[in-house]
Amino acid sequence: MTGNIAHGAAYLNRGLRLLGHRSLLPFVIVPLLINTLIFGSLLWVGYGYVAALMAWMDAALPEWLDFLQWILWPLILLSACLVAGYLFTSVALIIASPFNGLLAEKAEELITGKPVAGLESFGAALMMVPRGIMRELYKLLYYLPMALLVLLLSVVPGVNAAAPVLWFLLGAWMMSIQFVDYPMDNHQYSFAEVKAAVRSRRLSSMGFGGVVALCASIPVVNFIVVPAAVVGATLLWCEELAE
């Protein structure tokens, strides 16, 4: 496998540092507002479901199995955070995808100093909303069968102890594809070519996607993850994948 995990993981932090650049800041505001609204709303709803699940488990376990709560609760919480982070990010990306493409375009121009023939303006981004949603739904269809398999394994006794690791690995892979797609879509690459590019530098891509997946599962932090990941993925594209 080619690439470097540590180098890949650093792209998110580098993307975060670039967000404050005056040429990018206007293109960060709209996705950030969308993410804040969606994450805040869904976080409130998700907390209620997790609390209900824990209350049900507490009532269902007989007293002599009470010790299992100390094992199951951390696993449930960790899995719920990872799944919720991926779900919330997916919803936000479907809605804000054209604006993320515009952010990736401006980030690439800043990084390379060369113009990118893309959306150019917020008005053009609004016109591309239907196409952006279809592209996001296509990625979701690619992701769902793998997510359902991991979900099935998560309820198999014995195997379910590895559920957080499986969710993390799946999330790392999907987050790398998800965000690298923005700069590559600006250059009219197909989704199949995006997957091939990510595989070509698998370690760097998994390092980047893994950090994004972890940060997406942390409340409040996940508000800023999406724009930072868009810029970080653009750096990954420019420095490792474009060649």
Side-chain angles (χ1 to χ4, degrees):
M1 289 190 289
T2 57
N4 184 292
I5 289 180
H7 194 198
Y11 283 118
L12 182 63
N13 184 51
R14 292 175 61 193
L16 180 62
R17 294 204 305 268
L18 277 178
L19 288 185
H21 194 280
R22 65 176 182 271
S23 65
L24 296 186
L25 196 56
F27 303 97
V28 173
I29 294 173
V30 172
L32 189 58
L33 289 175
I34 293 173
N35 297 341
T36 302
L37 178 62
I38 293 173
F39 283 133
S41 301
L42 294 181
L43 184 64
W44 178 262
V45 174
Y47 174 80
Y49 279 108
V50 172
L53 175 61
M54 288 188 165
W56 173 82
M57 187 181 70
D58 188 44
L61 282 176
E63 289 186 9
W64 64 278
L65 288 178
D66 279 350
F67 71 94
L68 287 178
Q69 293 182 15
W70 298 100
I71 301 173
L72 295 176
W73 283 18
L75 293 177
I76 290 174
L77 279 173
L78 182 56
S79 297
C81 286
L82 289 171
V83 174
Y86 307 155
L87 176 62
F88 298 168
T89 303
S90 298
V91 173
L93 291 175
I94 288 174
I95 297 174
S97 57
F99 302 102
N100 291 329
L102 181 57
L103 175 58
E105 173 191 325
K106 299 306 176 183
E108 184 172 345
E109 290 176 348
L110 174 64
I111 294 163
T112 64
K114 300 176 182 178
V116 176
L119 299 174
E120 298 298 339
S121 68
F122 286 115
L126 284 171
M127 294 296 293
M128 293 299 291
V129 166
R131 180 183 178 277
I133 290 176
M134 290 304 298
R135 181 96 171 189
E136 292 301 322
L137 290 176
Y138 189 82
K139 285 184 275 189
L140 191 60
L141 289 175
Y142 169 73
Y143 165 71
L144 276 178
M146 294 183 287
L148 290 174
L149 175 60
V150 175
L151 183 62
L152 179 63
L153 293 174
S154 298
V155 299
V156 176
V159 179
N160 56 7
V165 176
L166 296 175
W167 281 116
F168 173 73
L169 292 175
L170 176 59
W173 175 246
M174 282 310 303
M175 290 298 177
S176 60
I177 289 176
Q178 175 68 66
F179 288 100
V180 168
D181 182 58
Y182 291 119
M184 292 191 66
D185 188 34
N186 286 337
H187 292 276
Q188 306 300 311
Y189 285 100
S190 69
F191 186 57
E193 290 173 310
V194 173
K195 290 186 289 184
V198 170
R199 281 195 295 267
S200 72
R201 301 288 291 178
R202 192 183 298 270
L203 291 179
S204 294
S205 298
M206 289 294 284
F208 167 71
V211 172
V212 174
L214 283 176
C215 292
S217 67
I218 303 173
V220 181
V221 174
N222 53 20
F223 291 175
I224 197 67
V225 164
V226 171
V230 171
V231 179
T234 305
L235 284 163
L236 173 60
W237 157 251
C238 292
E239 295 181 6
E240 296 193 42
L241 304 182
E243 63 188 39

